[in-house]
Amino acid sequence: NAGVTQTPKFQVLKTGQSMTLQCAQDMNHEYMSWYRQDPGMGLRLIHYSVGAGITDQGEVPNGYNVSRSTTEDFPLRLLSAAPSQTSVYFCASRRTVGDNQPQHFGDGTRLSIL
Amino acid sequence: GQQLNQSPQSMFIQEGEDVSMNCTSSSIFNTWLWYKQDPGEGPVLLIALYKAGELTSNGRLTAQFGITRKDSFLNISASIPSDVGIYFCVASGTYKYIFGTGTRLKVLA
């Protein structure tokens, strides 16, 4: 059972570079989301999707784009990386929005912007 | 944005001791959850609470959903070294999870 798979696990970028963080789930979950975790803080929601073709902004969306062309995949794009985007990024999924089932999290991508 | 107040921020305890942590919000939520995060990994669900007043156990862990729907607590009984990690409370809205800032637990053998 793969669950939620994130790649890469680690990445170092230079300021201004672009990058896509990959997230895939094999549980046929409708809802997927991206969070960032900074030292001493809880996870903060970046973007989420309630199904293929539908995305919406979370608490900290600036500097990030997402798309959801398939149920399985929910990539997060940084178009022009900035040092303030140095963080640990987590992808999560849950079956659907309406049934209160908990989210399942990936193991994270540790991103450093120089 | 909305925030949850989670306390304590960190705890150092002796193996075998009981641990309590809590979380409060200024808003009402219909679901509270507790997750644990080990170093280098993503959060893992410990307990989910769906009804005000609900008390739920998972082994040595017990959590309660406050009557006002604005708070929750987590107790760990007879702590062991593998309990070390960061514990997060989470309040769930329809589309979004709101995380507490975490309680970092260290257990001294």
Side-chain angles (χ1 to χ4, degrees):
Chain A
N1 294 330
V4 179
T5 302
Q6 291 185 237
T7 56
K9 292 191 183 302
F10 303 93
Q11 184 69 51
V12 178
L13 294 177
K14 294 181 180 178
T15 298
Q17 285 186 314
S18 62
M19 165 140 198
T20 299
L21 279 59
Q22 302 292 344
C23 176
Q25 52 89 11
D26 62 357
M27 298 173 282
N28 201 31
H29 284 176
E30 293 182 353
Y31 180 95
M32 296 184 75
S33 55
W34 276 102
Y35 295 83
R36 61 177 288 172
Q37 184 178 27
D38 299 305
M41 302 183 72
L43 280 67
R44 292 182 293 165
L45 182 64
I46 304 171
H47 285 285
Y48 65 95
S49 168
V50 299
I54 306 170
T55 64
D56 207 343
Q57 296 181 348
E59 182 185 359
V60 288
N62 292 341
Y64 308 95
N65 283 346
V66 292
S67 60
R68 184 94 180 271
S69 56
T70 67
T71 299
E72 293 78 20
D73 301 298
F74 190 42
L76 178 72
R77 278 181 286 275
L78 285 71
L79 297 179
S80 179
S84 61
Q85 293 177 305
T86 293
S87 189
V88 182
Y89 291 84
F90 289 98
C91 179
S93 74
R94 77 187 207 206
R95 193 169 62 190
T96 185
V97 168
D99 67 0
N100 264 338
Q101 288 301 301
Q103 292 193 51
H104 302 262
F105 286 83
D107 284 337
T109 294
R110 284 140 190 85
L111 183 62
S112 294
I113 315 295
L114 305 178
Chain B
Q2 289 178 303
Q3 289 193 341
L4 303 181
N5 297 313
Q6 185 172 349
S7 64
Q9 285 189 325
S10 62
M11 303 179 71
F12 286 81
I13 61 170
Q14 292 288 335
E15 183 177 0
E17 289 184 347
D18 296 344
V19 174
S20 289
M21 58 192 78
N22 66 76
C23 209
T24 61
S25 169
S26 57
S27 303
I28 290 174
F29 291 97
N30 291 324
T31 301
W32 284 84
L33 309 104
W34 287 90
Y35 281 81
K36 182 190 177 198
Q37 185 179 28
D38 292 326
E41 299 184 9
V44 174
L45 180 70
L46 298 174
I47 294 178
L49 302 159
Y50 299 109
K51 188 187 299 185
E54 179 181 355
L55 185 71
T56 297
S57 293
N58 178 7
R60 294 178 295 106
L61 279 61
T62 301
Q64 184 158 29
F65 189 155
I67 290 290
T68 65
R69 292 193 284 155
K70 292 184 178 181
D71 61 344
S72 177
F73 73 76
L74 175 70
N75 286 341
I76 305 173
S77 62
S79 58
I80 59 178
S82 62
D83 289 335
V84 66
I86 305 176
Y87 292 79
F88 289 104
C89 62
V90 176
S92 176
T94 302
Y95 296 109
K96 304 174 184 179
Y97 271 15
I98 300 169
F99 277 76
T101 51
T103 295
R104 188 178 298 271
L105 181 64
K106 296 193 178 181
V107 180
L108 306 174

Coordinates of all heavy atoms in Angstrom, one line a residue, chain A residues 5-74:
Chain A
T5 N 2.4 9.5 -1.9 CA 3.8 9.4 -2.3 C 4.3 10.8 -2.8 O 3.7 11.4 -3.7 CB 4.1 8.4 -3.4 OG1 3.7 7.1 -2.9 CG2 5.6 8.3 -3.7
Q6 N 5.3 11.3 -2.1 CA 5.8 12.6 -2.5 C 7.2 12.5 -3.1 O 8.1 11.7 -2.5 CB 5.9 13.6 -1.3 CG 4.6 14.0 -0.8 CD 4.7 15.0 0.3 OE1 4.2 14.8 1.4 NE2 5.3 16.1 0.0
T7 N 7.5 13.2 -4.2 CA 8.9 13.2 -4.7 C 9.2 14.6 -5.2 O 8.3 15.4 -5.6 CB 9.0 12.3 -5.9 OG1 8.0 12.6 -6.9 CG2 8.9 10.8 -5.5
P8 N 10.5 15.1 -5.0 CA 11.6 14.4 -4.4 C 11.4 14.5 -2.9 O 10.6 15.2 -2.4 CB 12.8 15.1 -4.9 CG 12.3 16.5 -5.0 CD 10.9 16.4 -5.5
K9 N 12.3 13.8 -2.1 CA 12.3 14.0 -0.7 C 13.1 15.2 -0.2 O 12.9 15.8 0.8 CB 12.9 12.7 0.0 CG 12.1 11.5 -0.2 CD 12.6 10.4 0.7 CE 11.8 9.1 0.5 NZ 10.3 9.3 0.7
F10 N 14.1 15.5 -1.0 CA 15.0 16.7 -0.7 C 15.3 17.5 -2.0 O 15.4 16.8 -3.1 CB 16.3 16.3 -0.1 CG 16.2 15.5 1.1 CD1 16.2 14.1 1.1 CD2 16.1 16.1 2.4 CE1 16.2 13.4 2.2 CE2 16.1 15.4 3.5 CZ 16.1 14.0 3.5
Q11 N 15.4 18.8 -1.9 CA 15.7 19.6 -3.1 C 16.3 20.9 -2.7 O 15.8 21.5 -1.7 CB 14.5 19.8 -4.0 CG 14.8 20.6 -5.3 CD 15.5 19.7 -6.3 OE1 15.2 18.6 -6.5 NE2 16.6 20.3 -6.8
V12 N 17.4 21.3 -3.4 CA 18.0 22.6 -3.2 C 17.8 23.4 -4.5 O 18.2 22.9 -5.5 CB 19.5 22.5 -2.7 CG1 20.0 23.9 -2.6 CG2 19.6 21.7 -1.5
L13 N 17.3 24.6 -4.4 CA 17.1 25.5 -5.5 C 17.8 26.8 -5.3 O 18.1 27.2 -4.2 CB 15.7 25.7 -5.8 CG 14.7 24.6 -6.1 CD1 13.3 25.1 -6.3 CD2 15.2 24.0 -7.5
K14 N 18.1 27.4 -6.4 CA 18.6 28.8 -6.4 C 17.4 29.8 -6.5 O 16.4 29.4 -7.2 CB 19.6 29.1 -7.5 CG 20.9 28.3 -7.3 CD 21.9 28.7 -8.4 CE 23.2 27.9 -8.2 NZ 24.2 28.2 -9.3
T15 N 17.5 30.9 -5.9 CA 16.5 31.9 -6.1 C 16.1 32.2 -7.5 O 17.1 32.3 -8.4 CB 16.9 33.3 -5.4 OG1 17.1 33.0 -4.0 CG2 15.8 34.3 -5.6
G16 N 14.8 32.2 -7.9 CA 14.4 32.4 -9.2 C 14.2 31.1 -10.0 O 13.5 31.2 -11.1
Q17 N 14.7 30.0 -9.6 CA 14.5 28.8 -10.3 C 13.0 28.3 -10.1 O 12.3 28.7 -9.2 CB 15.4 27.7 -9.8 CG 16.8 27.8 -10.3 CD 17.7 26.7 -9.9 OE1 17.7 26.2 -8.8 NE2 18.5 26.2 -10.9
S18 N 12.6 27.5 -11.1 CA 11.2 26.9 -11.0 C 11.3 25.4 -10.6 O 12.4 24.8 -10.9 CB 10.5 27.1 -12.3 OG 11.1 26.4 -13.3
M19 N 10.3 24.9 -10.1 CA 10.3 23.5 -9.7 C 8.9 23.0 -9.5 O 8.0 23.8 -9.1 CB 11.0 23.4 -8.3 CG 10.8 22.0 -7.7 SD 12.2 21.3 -7.0 CE 11.7 19.6 -6.8
T20 N 8.7 21.7 -9.7 CA 7.4 21.1 -9.4 C 7.6 20.0 -8.4 O 8.4 19.1 -8.6 CB 6.8 20.5 -10.7 OG1 6.5 21.5 -11.6 CG2 5.5 19.8 -10.4
L21 N 6.8 20.1 -7.3 CA 6.8 19.0 -6.3 C 5.7 18.0 -6.7 O 4.6 18.5 -6.9 CB 6.6 19.6 -4.9 CG 7.8 20.2 -4.1 CD1 8.4 21.3 -4.9 CD2 7.3 20.6 -2.8
Q22 N 6.0 16.8 -6.7 CA 5.0 15.8 -7.1 C 4.3 15.1 -5.9 O 4.9 14.9 -4.9 CB 5.7 14.7 -8.0 CG 6.4 15.2 -9.2 CD 5.5 15.7 -10.3 OE1 4.2 15.5 -10.2 NE2 6.0 16.5 -11.2
C23 N 3.0 14.9 -6.1 CA 2.3 14.1 -5.1 C 1.3 13.2 -5.8 O 0.6 13.6 -6.7 CB 1.5 15.1 -4.2 SG 0.4 14.2 -3.0
A24 N 1.3 11.9 -5.4 CA 0.4 10.9 -6.0 C -0.2 10.1 -4.9 O 0.5 9.8 -3.9 CB 1.2 10.1 -7.0
Q25 N -1.5 9.7 -5.1 CA -2.1 8.8 -4.1 C -2.8 7.7 -4.9 O -3.4 8.0 -6.0 CB -3.1 9.6 -3.2 CG -4.1 10.5 -3.8 CD -5.4 9.8 -4.2 OE1 -5.6 8.7 -3.8 NE2 -6.2 10.5 -5.0
D26 N -2.8 6.5 -4.3 CA -3.4 5.4 -5.0 C -4.6 4.9 -4.3 O -5.0 3.7 -4.4 CB -2.3 4.3 -5.1 CG -1.9 3.8 -3.7 OD1 -2.3 4.3 -2.7 OD2 -1.0 2.8 -3.7
M27 N -5.3 5.8 -3.5 CA -6.5 5.4 -2.7 C -7.8 5.8 -3.3 O -8.8 5.7 -2.7 CB -6.3 5.9 -1.3 CG -5.1 5.4 -0.6 SD -4.7 6.1 1.0 CE -4.0 7.7 0.5
N28 N -7.7 6.4 -4.5 CA -8.9 7.0 -5.2 C -9.5 8.0 -4.4 O -10.8 8.2 -4.4 CB -9.9 5.8 -5.6 CG -10.8 6.3 -6.7 OD1 -10.4 7.0 -7.6 ND2 -12.0 5.8 -6.6
H29 N -8.7 8.8 -3.7 CA -9.3 9.9 -2.9 C -9.6 11.1 -3.7 O -8.9 11.5 -4.6 CB -8.3 10.3 -1.8 CG -8.2 9.4 -0.7 ND1 -7.3 9.5 0.4 CD2 -8.9 8.3 -0.4 CE1 -7.4 8.5 1.2 NE2 -8.4 7.7 0.8
E30 N -10.8 11.7 -3.4 CA -11.2 12.9 -4.2 C -10.4 14.2 -3.7 O -10.1 15.0 -4.5 CB -12.7 13.1 -4.0 CG -13.5 12.0 -4.7 CD -15.0 12.3 -4.5 OE1 -15.4 13.3 -3.8 OE2 -15.8 11.6 -5.2
Y31 N -10.2 14.3 -2.4 CA -9.7 15.5 -1.8 C -8.2 15.3 -1.7 O -7.7 14.3 -1.1 CB -10.3 15.7 -0.5 CG -9.8 17.0 0.2 CD1 -10.5 18.2 0.1 CD2 -8.7 16.9 1.1 CE1 -10.0 19.3 0.8 CE2 -8.2 18.0 1.7 CZ -8.9 19.2 1.6 OH -8.5 20.3 2.3
M32 N -7.4 16.3 -2.2 CA -6.0 16.4 -2.0 C -5.6 17.8 -1.6 O -6.3 18.8 -1.9 CB -5.2 16.0 -3.2 CG -5.5 14.5 -3.6 SD -4.5 13.9 -5.0 CE -2.9 13.8 -4.2
S33 N -4.5 17.9 -0.9 CA -4.1 19.2 -0.4 C -2.6 19.3 -0.2 O -1.9 18.3 -0.1 CB -4.7 19.5 1.0 OG -4.5 18.5 1.9
W34 N -2.1 20.6 -0.2 CA -0.6 20.8 0.1 C -0.5 21.7 1.3 O -1.2 22.7 1.4 CB 0.0 21.5 -1.1 CG 0.4 20.6 -2.2 CD1 -0.2 20.3 -3.4 CD2 1.7 19.8 -2.2 NE1 0.5 19.4 -4.1 CE2 1.7 19.1 -3.4 CE3 2.7 19.7 -1.3 CZ2 2.7 18.2 -3.8 CZ3 3.7 18.8 -1.7 CH2 3.8 18.1 -2.9
Y35 N 0.5 21.4 2.1 CA 0.8 22.2 3.3 C 2.3 22.5 3.3 O 3.1 21.8 2.7 CB 0.5 21.4 4.6 CG -1.0 21.1 4.8 CD1 -1.6 20.0 4.2 CD2 -1.8 21.9 5.7 CE1 -2.9 19.7 4.4 CE2 -3.1 21.6 5.9 CZ -3.7 20.5 5.3 OH -5.0 20.2 5.5
R36 N 2.6 23.6 4.0 CA 4.0 23.8 4.3 C 4.2 23.9 5.8 O 3.3 24.3 6.6 CB 4.5 25.1 3.7 CG 3.8 26.4 4.1 CD 4.5 27.6 3.4 NE 5.8 27.9 4.0 CZ 6.7 28.8 3.5 NH1 6.4 29.5 2.4 NH2 7.8 29.0 4.1
Q37 N 5.3 23.4 6.3 CA 5.6 23.4 7.7 C 6.9 24.1 8.0 O 8.0 23.7 7.5 CB 5.8 22.0 8.2 CG 6.0 21.9 9.7 CD 6.1 20.5 10.3 OE1 6.4 19.5 9.5 NE2 5.7 20.3 11.5
D38 N 6.9 25.2 8.7 CA 8.0 26.0 9.1 C 8.4 25.8 10.6 O 7.5 25.4 11.4 CB 7.7 27.5 8.8 CG 7.4 27.7 7.3 OD1 8.3 27.3 6.5 OD2 6.4 28.2 7.0
P39 N 9.6 26.0 10.9 CA 10.1 25.7 12.3 C 9.1 26.4 13.4 O 8.8 27.5 13.2 CB 11.5 26.3 12.4 CG 11.9 26.2 11.0 CD 10.7 26.5 10.1
G40 N 8.7 25.6 14.3 CA 7.9 26.1 15.4 C 6.5 26.4 15.1 O 5.8 27.0 15.9
M41 N 6.1 26.0 13.9 CA 4.7 26.2 13.5 C 4.0 24.9 13.1 O 4.7 24.0 12.7 CB 4.7 27.2 12.3 CG 5.3 28.5 12.6 SD 5.2 29.7 11.3 CE 3.5 30.1 11.3
G42 N 2.7 25.0 13.1 CA 2.0 23.9 12.6 C 2.0 23.9 11.1 O 2.5 24.8 10.5
L43 N 1.3 23.0 10.5 CA 1.2 22.9 9.0 C 0.2 24.0 8.6 O -0.9 24.2 9.2 CB 0.8 21.6 8.5 CG 1.9 20.5 8.4 CD1 2.4 20.1 9.8 CD2 1.3 19.3 7.7
R44 N 0.5 24.7 7.5 CA -0.4 25.7 6.9 C -0.8 25.3 5.5 O 0.1 24.9 4.7 CB 0.3 27.1 7.0 CG 0.5 27.6 8.4 CD 1.1 29.0 8.3 NE 2.4 29.0 7.8 CZ 3.1 30.1 7.4 NH1 2.5 31.3 7.4 NH2 4.3 30.0 6.9
L45 N -2.1 25.4 5.2 CA -2.6 25.0 4.0 C -2.3 26.0 2.8 O -2.5 27.2 2.9 CB -4.1 24.9 4.1 CG -4.9 24.4 2.9 CD1 -4.5 22.9 2.6 CD2 -6.4 24.5 3.1
I46 N -1.7 25.4 1.7 CA -1.3 26.2 0.6 C -2.4 26.2 -0.5 O -3.0 27.3 -0.8 CB 0.0 25.7 -0.1 CG1 1.1 25.6 1.0 CG2 0.4 26.6 -1.2 CD1 2.4 24.9 0.5
H47 N -2.8 25.1 -1.0 CA -3.9 24.9 -2.0 C -4.5 23.5 -1.7 O -3.9 22.6 -1.1 CB -3.3 24.9 -3.4 CG -2.9 26.2 -3.9 ND1 -3.8 27.1 -4.3 CD2 -1.7 26.7 -4.2 CE1 -3.2 28.2 -4.8 NE2 -1.9 28.0 -4.7
Y48 N -5.8 23.4 -2.2 CA -6.4 22.1 -2.0 C -7.3 21.9 -3.3 O -7.5 22.8 -4.1 CB -7.3 22.0 -0.8 CG -8.4 23.0 -0.7 CD1 -9.7 22.6 -1.1 CD2 -8.3 24.3 -0.2 CE1 -10.8 23.4 -1.0 CE2 -9.3 25.1 -0.1 CZ -10.6 24.7 -0.5 OH -11.6 25.6 -0.4
S49 N -7.7 20.6 -3.4 CA -8.5 20.2 -4.5 C -9.6 19.2 -4.0 O -9.3 18.3 -3.3 CB -7.7 19.6 -5.6 OG -8.5 18.9 -6.6
V50 N -10.8 19.4 -4.4 CA -11.9 18.5 -4.0 C -12.2 17.5 -5.1 O -13.1 16.7 -4.9 CB -13.2 19.3 -3.6 CG1 -12.9 20.2 -2.4 CG2 -13.7 20.1 -4.8
G51 N -11.5 17.6 -6.2 CA -11.7 16.6 -7.2 C -10.9 17.0 -8.5 O -10.5 18.1 -8.6
A52 N -10.8 16.1 -9.4 CA -10.1 16.4 -10.7 C -10.7 17.6 -11.4 O -12.0 17.8 -11.5 CB -10.2 15.2 -11.6
G53 N -9.9 18.6 -11.7 CA -10.3 19.8 -12.4 C -10.7 20.9 -11.5 O -11.0 22.0 -12.0
I54 N -10.7 20.7 -10.2 CA -11.1 21.7 -9.2 C -10.0 21.9 -8.2 O -9.6 21.0 -7.5 CB -12.4 21.2 -8.5 CG1 -13.5 20.8 -9.4 CG2 -12.9 22.3 -7.5 CD1 -14.6 20.1 -8.8
T55 N -9.6 23.2 -8.1 CA -8.6 23.6 -7.1 C -9.0 24.9 -6.4 O -9.8 25.7 -7.0 CB -7.2 23.8 -7.7 OG1 -7.2 24.9 -8.6 CG2 -6.7 22.5 -8.4
D56 N -8.5 25.1 -5.2 CA -8.8 26.4 -4.5 C -7.7 26.7 -3.6 O -6.8 25.9 -3.3 CB -10.1 26.2 -3.7 CG -10.8 27.6 -3.5 OD1 -10.2 28.6 -3.7 OD2 -12.0 27.6 -3.2
Q57 N -7.6 28.0 -3.2 CA -6.5 28.5 -2.4 C -6.8 28.2 -0.9 O -7.9 28.2 -0.4 CB -6.4 30.0 -2.6 CG -6.0 30.4 -4.0 CD -5.9 31.9 -4.1 OE1 -6.3 32.7 -3.2 NE2 -5.3 32.4 -5.2
G58 N -5.6 28.0 -0.2 CA -5.7 27.8 1.2 C -5.2 29.1 1.9 O -5.5 30.2 1.4
E59 N -4.6 28.9 3.0 CA -4.1 30.1 3.8 C -3.0 30.8 3.3 O -2.9 32.1 3.4 CB -3.8 29.5 5.2 CG -3.4 30.6 6.2 CD -3.0 30.0 7.6 OE1 -3.0 28.7 7.7 OE2 -2.5 30.7 8.4
V60 N -2.0 30.1 2.6 CA -0.8 30.8 2.2 C -0.5 30.4 0.7 O 0.5 29.7 0.4 CB 0.4 30.4 3.1 CG1 0.4 31.1 4.4 CG2 0.5 28.9 3.3
P61 N -1.3 30.8 -0.3 CA -1.2 30.4 -1.7 C -0.2 31.1 -2.5 O 0.2 30.7 -3.6 CB -2.6 30.6 -2.2 CG -3.1 31.8 -1.4 CD -2.5 31.7 -0.1
N62 N 0.2 32.3 -2.1 CA 1.1 33.2 -2.9 C 2.4 32.5 -3.2 O 3.1 32.0 -2.4 CB 1.3 34.5 -2.3 CG 0.0 35.3 -2.2 OD1 -0.9 35.1 -2.9 ND2 0.0 36.3 -1.3
G63 N 2.7 32.5 -4.5 CA 4.0 32.0 -5.0 C 3.9 30.5 -5.4 O 4.9 29.9 -5.9
Y64 N 2.7 29.9 -5.3 CA 2.5 28.5 -5.7 C 1.3 28.4 -6.6 O 0.3 29.1 -6.5 CB 2.2 27.7 -4.4 CG 3.1 27.9 -3.3 CD1 2.9 28.8 -2.3 CD2 4.3 27.1 -3.2 CE1 3.8 28.9 -1.2 CE2 5.2 27.2 -2.2 CZ 4.9 28.1 -1.2 OH 5.8 28.3 -0.1
N65 N 1.5 27.4 -7.6 CA 0.4 27.1 -8.5 C 0.1 25.6 -8.3 O 1.0 24.8 -8.1 CB 0.7 27.4 -9.9 CG 0.6 28.8 -10.2 OD1 0.0 29.6 -9.5 ND2 1.1 29.2 -11.4
V66 N -1.1 25.2 -8.6 CA -1.5 23.7 -8.6 C -2.4 23.5 -9.7 O -3.0 24.4 -10.3 CB -2.2 23.3 -7.3 CG1 -1.2 23.3 -6.1 CG2 -3.4 24.1 -7.0
S67 N -2.5 22.2 -10.1 CA -3.5 21.7 -11.0 C -3.9 20.3 -10.6 O -3.1 19.6 -9.9 CB -2.9 21.7 -12.5 OG -1.7 20.9 -12.5
R68 N -5.0 19.9 -11.1 CA -5.5 18.5 -10.8 C -6.1 17.9 -12.0 O -7.3 18.0 -12.2 CB -6.5 18.6 -9.6 CG -7.0 17.2 -9.1 CD -6.2 16.7 -8.0 NE -6.6 15.4 -7.5 CZ -7.6 15.2 -6.6 NH1 -8.2 16.3 -6.1 NH2 -7.9 14.0 -6.2
S69 N -5.3 17.4 -12.9 CA -5.8 16.8 -14.1 C -6.3 15.4 -14.0 O -7.1 14.9 -14.8 CB -4.7 16.9 -15.2 OG -3.6 16.3 -14.8
T70 N -5.8 14.7 -12.9 CA -6.2 13.3 -12.7 C -6.6 13.2 -11.2 O -6.1 14.0 -10.4 CB -5.2 12.3 -13.0 OG1 -4.1 12.4 -12.1 CG2 -4.7 12.4 -14.4
T71 N -7.3 12.2 -10.8 CA -7.6 12.0 -9.4 C -6.4 11.7 -8.6 O -6.3 12.0 -7.4 CB -8.6 10.8 -9.3 OG1 -9.8 11.1 -9.9 CG2 -9.0 10.5 -7.8
E72 N -5.4 11.0 -9.2 CA -4.3 10.5 -8.5 C -3.2 11.5 -8.2 O -2.5 11.4 -7.2 CB -3.6 9.3 -9.3 CG -4.4 8.1 -9.5 CD -5.5 8.2 -10.5 OE1 -5.4 9.1 -11.4 OE2 -6.5 7.5 -10.5
D73 N -3.0 12.5 -9.1 CA -1.9 13.4 -9.0 C -2.3 14.8 -8.6 O -3.3 15.4 -9.2 CB -1.1 13.4 -10.3 CG -0.6 12.0 -10.6 OD1 0.2 11.5 -9.8 OD2 -1.0 11.5 -11.7
F74 N -1.4 15.5 -7.8 CA -1.7 16.9 -7.4 C -0.4 17.6 -7.3 O 0.1 17.8 -6.2 CB -2.5 16.9 -6.1 CG -3.0 18.3 -5.7 CD1 -3.6 19.1 -6.7 CD2 -3.0 18.7 -4.4 CE1 -4.1 20.3 -6.3 CE2 -3.5 19.9 -4.0 CZ -4.1 20.7 -5.0

